[in-house]
Amino acid sequence: MDLQALIDAASTRDWDTDPEESVSMAVVGLGNYARNVSIPAIEAGDYTELGAVVSGHPEKADRVAEGHDALSLSYEQYAEGEEVDAYDAVYVATPNRLHLDHIRTAADHGKHVISEKPLEATTERARAAVERCEDAGVTLMTAYRMQTDPVIRALASFISHGGIGEPTKAMGEFTFDVLGGSSGPDQWRLDGELAGGGALMDVGVYPLNTTRYLLGTDPVTVDGIARATEPFGSKSEDPGSPRFADEHVHFNVEFATGAVGDFTASFTGKADSWLEIVGSEGRIRIENAFGVNSDREVRIDTDAATVELSDWGLNETVEEFDYFAHCLLTGTPPEPDGHDGLVDVQTMGAVYRSAATGKRVSVDMGPARSGD
C-alpha cells in the first residue's frame, strides 16, 4: 500500500457490503458516555437503531427512553427477559466489574453483545464472559472503537504491507483528567475493585490495544510502575491490591514479534493522547489519538516521503456500532472479539503484578490480580 492508497482508505469502510437490514440495540447502563456518545452514535448509524435502555435509576431510564423513543427497563426487568423481543443485541456500558453479569444475561436470552472496554475487571471474569458467549453461540465484541476508525484501519494495512519497514517500537500516552468534569472522587473509576484498577484500565488500555492492532501482535512480558495520591490511593497504597486505583502508570511491553512498547496513562495532568510507531524504514505519529471523535493529526515519515494529515477520518463511535451490526447481519466474526478484550485484561493484570513486585512479568502467568 502506497501513501496515496492509505489516504484513500482512511475515509472509506473497508468492511461494508451494504446490507439492507438493521440491528436494534438495548443499552445497558446510562452513564454520561452511554447517554452522550454511544446512544447518539447508535441512532446515527446506517445499521443500528435504539430499541431499549436499561438502568438501575427508573427516572433516568424513563427520561432517556422518552427522549429517544425507546423502551425503558430496570436491571431486574432486563435480567428476567421482559420485552426481550424489542432488541436484537445488547451494548453493555456499566462499570467494569458488572460487565460479566450483564453479558451473561444477554447470552442467556440469545442476544449478541458489544461490551465496553476493558472487557471486565479481572482475567477470570473476562474469561468467563468469553466462555459464556461461546457456549450460548452469541457474538461478543469488545468495544474498541479505535479498531473501527478508518484512519487506524488504513494505518494498520499500511504497516502490514511494509510501509515503515519492520516495526520495532511503539510509544504512547493517554492522560485524562478524571476529576476535571462534574464527577467527584466518589466516582466508580476511582474504585479499584469496581474498575479493576485506575488509569491503566480506563485509558491505558487505548495505547496498548491500538498498538496490538496496528502491529498484529500480542504482549509476551511486561513491567510497570503504578502510583497514586489522594483521593486515588486512599483505599490502598499497594498496586497489588484489588482495591488499588492507580493515578499514574508507566509500563513497558515486549511483543511476540520482538517489538517493544513504552506507554503511560494518567488520571491527572493536562489532557493529551498520542501514539507513535517506529519501524526500520519510517515512523508514524498520531496526535489526539484516542479522544472521542477527535480531529486526529497524522505524520508519516518514510524513506519515500513525508506526509502530514489533519481533520482526517470519520466518527469512530458510529463506525464501531455500525461495524458490530454489520458483523451480525453478515455472519462475520468481529476483529475486536471477546478474546481480544481478554488479552488486554490479562496484560494489564500482569502490569499490576509487576508494579507490586518490582519484577518483569510474563503475560500468561496466572490470574490478573489478587481478589479475582
Side-chain angles (χ1 to χ4, degrees):
M1 174 184 280
D2 60 23
L3 288 172
Q4 186 57 54
L6 183 153
I7 293 169
D8 293 340
S11 297
T12 62
R13 291 177 163 181
D14 60 345
W15 46 265
D16 198 347
T17 60
D18 196 26
E20 296 181 358
E21 299 87 356
S22 64
V23 173
S24 178
M25 303 288 301
V27 173
V28 180
L30 296 178
N32 178 70
Y33 188 87
R35 297 195 317 274
N36 296 319
V37 178
S38 300
I39 288 177
I42 290 170
E43 292 184 319
D46 293 330
Y47 308 124
T48 54
E49 58 187 41
L50 186 65
V53 296
V54 183
S55 174
H57 304 282
E59 292 183 0
K60 179 191 290 186
D62 290 345
R63 183 174 67 253
V64 174
E66 183 177 355
H68 296 276
D69 193 24
L71 290 173
S72 171
L73 299 172
S74 66
Y75 287 134
E76 292 76 15
Q77 290 172 318
Y78 167 67
E80 292 169 2
E82 292 189 25
E83 303 289 356
V84 72
D85 293 333
Y87 54 91
D88 307 307
V90 171
Y91 166 57
V92 176
T94 52
N96 303 339
R97 190 175 279 270
L98 305 181
H99 289 180
L100 174 59
D101 294 339
H102 300 309
I103 290 171
R104 281 173 170 160
T105 294
D108 290 346
H109 295 326
K111 303 297 182 181
H112 304 289
V113 187
I114 176 171
S115 173
E116 265 306 330
K117 56 79 207 159
L119 185 58
E120 245 286 352
T122 69
T123 291
E124 181 181 68
R125 293 178 66 82
R127 184 178 292 112
V130 172
E131 292 175 350
R132 177 59 68 94
C133 289
E134 288 179 343
D135 290 344
V138 300
T139 295
L140 173 60
M141 174 174 157
T142 309
Y144 289 128
R145 55 187 171 81
M146 304 312 302
Q147 291 195 34
T148 63
D149 184 336
V151 173
I152 300 299
R153 295 181 69 83
L155 291 173
S157 180
F158 183 70
I159 293 170
S160 71
H161 285 85
I164 58 171
E166 184 68 25
T168 59
K169 180 171 62 174
M171 300 165 286
E173 174 195 353
F174 196 170
T175 295
F176 168 61
D177 184 6
V178 74
L179 297 176
S182 59
S183 298
D186 293 332
Q187 60 182 289
W188 67 266
R189 287 180 175 83
L190 274 63
D191 184 329
E193 186 170 15
L194 195 57
L200 175 61
M201 297 293 282
D202 195 61
V203 294
V205 67
Y206 280 95
L208 172 63
N209 182 265
T210 305
T211 298
R212 287 182 51 226
Y213 176 71
L214 287 171
L215 301 188
T217 187
D218 288 337
V220 177
T221 63
V222 300
D223 65 68
I225 300 171
R227 297 288 185 266
T229 58
E230 296 285 352
F232 301 90
S234 60
K235 298 181 178 66
S236 171
E237 293 298 333
D238 178 11
S241 164
R243 294 192 63 82
F244 178 78
D246 45 297
E247 179 184 2
H248 307 289
V249 64
H250 176 214
F251 60 107
N252 298 305
V253 181
E254 176 191 4
F255 293 99
T257 58
V260 295
D262 184 354
F263 308 114
T264 60
S266 297
F267 265 166
T268 57
K270 182 174 173 55
D272 195 12
S273 68
W274 58 271
L275 183 68
E276 187 163 349
I277 307 294
V278 180
S280 59
E281 300 173 16
R283 66 176 62 211
I284 297 168
R285 185 175 178 92
I286 311 169
E287 300 287 354
N288 302 321
F290 309 120
V292 176
N293 196 25
S294 293
D295 292 334
R296 293 180 180 83
E297 299 177 1
V298 180
R299 179 184 174 93
I300 305 168
D301 286 309
T302 70
D303 293 345
T306 296
V307 175
E308 295 186 7
L309 301 153
S310 60
D311 193 17
W312 199 30
L314 306 173
N315 183 320
E316 80 279 355
T317 312
V318 174
E319 298 301 292
E320 172 188 65
F321 286 107
D322 261 355
Y323 173 84
F324 172 65
H326 186 274
C327 287
L328 302 184
L329 294 172
T330 59
T332 305
E335 294 177 25
D337 59 9
H339 286 279
D340 194 6
L342 173 59
V343 169
D344 285 327
V345 175
Q346 192 172 23
T347 301
M348 292 185 291
V351 171
Y352 284 126
R353 287 202 307 279
S354 174
T357 62
K359 299 178 180 179
R360 193 161 188 85
V361 174
S362 295
V363 173
D364 59 356
M365 289 175 57
R369 302 177 72 182
S370 61
D372 280 5

